[in-house]
Amino acid sequence: MENKTIETYIQILKQELIPALGCTEPIAIALAASKARKVLGKFPESLEIRCSGNIIKNVKSVTVPNSDGLKGIEAAATLGLVGGNPDGDLEVLEYVTPEDREKTRTLLKNNFTACTLQKDVDNLYIVATARHQNEYAAVTIVNRHTLVSKIVKNDETLFELPSYTNKQETKSMEPLSVRSIIDFADSVSAEDISEILDRQIDLNQTISKAGLEQDFGAQIGKTLLKHYGNDTGTRAKARAAAGSDARMSGCSLPVVINSGSGNQGLTVSLPVMEYANAMKVGKDQLYRALCVSNLVAIHLKKNIGNLSAFCGAVSAASGAGAAITYLNGGTYEQISNTITNTMANIGGIVCDGAKPSCAAKIASSIDAAILAHNMSMNGLAFHEGEGIVQEDIESTIKSIGYVGRIGMKTTDQEILHIMTNQVSFH
């Protein structure tokens, strides 16, 4: 593989595999609000959040980290404004104090923060506007959780990204293909990726351990180990699910994300670590397998889009399954078949927001990926013409992307209608 391509892939990993404290959508809201207060230069009298339906969907039911159990957009925004670090990116709420939490609760009782749905915008779209008398500051985040695209103060535009589009954001991902990802994993120097991946290994293992030791959420990870045995596959599902149990229920430990999602970051990494440990492979081989899992997930997700009705655990688990096949000496065809087998099985799992049940979807997706791996290693695969499966892996990935990005658009809207009580079933 050419050195230029290797460097491009390393940069993709550096860009995508970053730490985040809590679910990334409420954190993005907290970040926008924190920055709006900084720009205003004083504590505001009110705060308004305008955001896309996908943001509302992913924040409505998840616990905001370091909030002592608060949920929802208003809580995330208010806590970010009161105690957030505007320069902390996805760790904006790391240093929130008990006094910040108390002040946040008081402001919430007084309806300090208002949220409205902004239609006909990007799926990831947030505007936080802080007001004090006749002054205001507005911060816009779009397309990526930390990407501030515009800052306005008192009708004066202080900053604006020039003609930012999703096409520009995904341009750096264009070289990705399953074959080139495998080539990269085989040829990259371990020294060039160790720092990135060691952080993912350490942080994601730590929150998984917390999820297994404490009673977070619906306790999916603990339930799996209690009732399904202790084989490698069960441990792989349980460890990833436990990390999500903790994360969705407000655990204050950070996670290294993938494709903008902590749940996807857990899903691409922890099962691969578990299989590598069971197989007693060295750190070098684990690094290479994690390159496969992370980059396959990113490759799949770039076709689907950051936020949609297509559950991100599916694309992340496909990456994990591909990496498990890679660890077992699988060929390009076998790795491709693992991805196809996973997608052909569970490509229809819907995303109905971030919440405790995400841990169960992660477990189900990893289970499907393990089945897909076992099938492919035995020469079994779903074939072209069977549903959305195409003639080759890259075409199949494009067809999945089309389903998630275009086909499930209406599904996404109807899920939001249900979650915001706009549908009557009586």
Side-chain angles (χ1 to χ4, degrees):
M1 176 172 270
E2 294 182 0
N3 288 337
K4 183 178 178 182
T5 305
I6 290 176
E7 183 57 35
T8 297
Y9 279 29
I10 291 172
Q11 288 305 314
I12 290 172
L13 290 173
K14 286 181 178 178
Q15 175 183 306
E16 294 287 330
L17 273 57
I18 57 176
L21 184 68
C23 180
T24 45
E25 280 73 51
I27 288 299
I29 287 176
L31 180 63
S34 179
K35 286 182 178 294
R37 178 187 174 181
K38 179 181 179 181
V39 173
L40 185 63
K42 60 190 72 175
F43 198 89
E45 296 172 336
S46 66
L47 176 65
E48 179 191 8
I49 302 294
R50 291 184 290 118
C51 54
S52 60
N54 285 84
I55 293 293
I56 292 175
K57 185 179 75 173
N58 274 8
V59 182
K60 182 176 182 289
S61 303
V62 71
T63 302
V64 180
N66 274 348
S67 71
D68 195 25
L70 296 175
K71 292 183 179 182
I73 291 172
E74 290 82 0
T78 308
L79 188 62
L81 183 139
V82 171
N85 172 12
D87 301 314
D89 287 338
L90 293 180
E91 295 177 289
V92 57
L93 298 180
E94 184 175 7
Y95 300 112
V96 166
T97 66
E99 292 75 21
D100 293 330
R101 288 189 283 269
E102 184 60 33
K103 185 170 185 177
T104 295
R105 290 183 183 277
T106 300
L107 291 171
L108 290 172
K109 289 177 183 176
N110 294 325
N111 299 315
F112 172 81
T113 302
C115 171
T116 57
L117 170 66
Q118 185 74 34
K119 296 183 178 180
D120 302 319
V121 293
D122 292 281
N123 284 348
L124 200 167
Y125 180 91
I126 301 163
V127 180
T129 304
R131 299 183 185 276
H132 184 273
Q133 297 180 7
N134 294 326
E135 296 183 85
Y136 79 93
V139 173
T140 301
I141 288 178
V142 63
N143 292 313
R144 194 156 36 87
H145 296 83
T146 58
L147 186 71
V148 175
S149 63
K150 191 173 183 179
I151 300 174
V152 176
K153 183 177 182 182
N154 302 332
D155 297 333
E156 179 186 355
T157 300
L158 304 181
F159 169 80
E160 186 171 14
L161 283 177
S163 60
Y164 181 84
T165 67
N166 270 323
K167 288 182 180 179
Q168 288 171 301
E169 177 68 4
T170 59
K171 188 171 179 61
S172 64
M173 308 293 185
E174 285 178 1
L176 288 174
S177 68
V178 173
R179 188 179 293 279
S180 66
I181 288 169
I182 296 168
D183 289 344
F184 169 76
D186 287 340
S187 56
V188 68
S189 167
E191 291 180 2
D192 291 337
I193 54 175
S194 60
E195 184 178 351
I196 309 167
L197 296 176
D198 278 338
R199 183 171 62 183
Q200 183 179 53
I201 291 166
D202 293 342
L203 292 184
N204 291 5
Q205 280 185 331
T206 299
I207 196 169
S208 173
K209 187 170 183 285
L212 288 174
E213 291 178 349
Q214 301 175 50
D215 295 339
F216 284 110
Q219 301 178 39
I220 303 301
K222 295 175 77 169
T223 299
L224 284 166
L225 291 180
K226 181 177 180 180
H227 294 285
Y228 290 84
N230 195 38
D231 61 278
T232 305
T234 301
R235 292 197 307 273
K237 290 180 283 187
R239 293 194 184 284
S244 181
D245 283 328
R247 185 172 170 273
M248 292 292 93
S249 297
C251 178
S252 59
L253 293 170
V255 168
V256 168
I257 65 175
N258 180 293
S259 303
S261 163
N263 279 338
Q264 290 171 61
L266 294 166
T267 306
V268 297
S269 58
L270 289 161
V272 181
M273 295 178 216
E274 194 58 43
Y275 269 84
N277 183 57
M279 295 169 65
K280 295 181 170 53
V281 303
K283 201 71 171 286
D284 180 272
Q285 193 66 3
L286 172 59
Y287 288 151
R288 298 183 190 283
L290 286 172
C291 284
V292 171
S293 62
N294 280 294
L295 290 170
V296 165
I298 292 166
H299 182 32
L300 289 164
K301 193 64 175 174
K302 76 177 173 66
N303 286 283
I304 298 167
N306 270 344
L307 298 175
S308 77
F310 190 102
C311 177
V314 175
S315 50
S318 297
I324 292 167
T325 302
Y326 178 86
L327 278 174
N328 281 272
T331 63
Y332 162 73
E333 287 75 16
Q334 288 170 319
I335 291 169
S336 297
N337 286 339
T338 296
I339 299 167
T340 297
N341 290 344
T342 307
M343 287 292 186
N345 180 4
I346 55 168
I349 294 180
V350 297
C351 171
D352 54 343
K355 63 216 169 305
S357 68
C358 291
K361 295 182 183 185
I362 287 172
S364 296
S365 297
I366 295 169
D367 187 70
I370 293 169
L371 170 63
H373 157 71
N374 289 328
M375 287 173 61
S376 70
M377 295 304 286
N378 284 284
L380 302 169
F382 300 114
H383 302 291
E384 178 188 3
E386 297 177 357
I388 57 176
V389 177
Q390 302 295 306
E391 61 182 349
D392 58 64
I393 185 59
E394 298 306 328
S395 297
T396 297
I397 287 172
K398 288 177 181 177
S399 81
I400 287 291
Y402 185 86
V403 169
R405 190 179 67 258
I406 305 299
M408 298 183 81
K409 232 175 203 178
T410 303
T411 302
D412 206 26
Q413 294 167 1
E414 297 307 328
I415 288 171
L416 179 63
H417 289 158
I418 293 171
M419 292 179 66
T420 54
N421 301 315
Q422 297 180 51
V423 178
S424 174
F425 298 104
H426 304 290

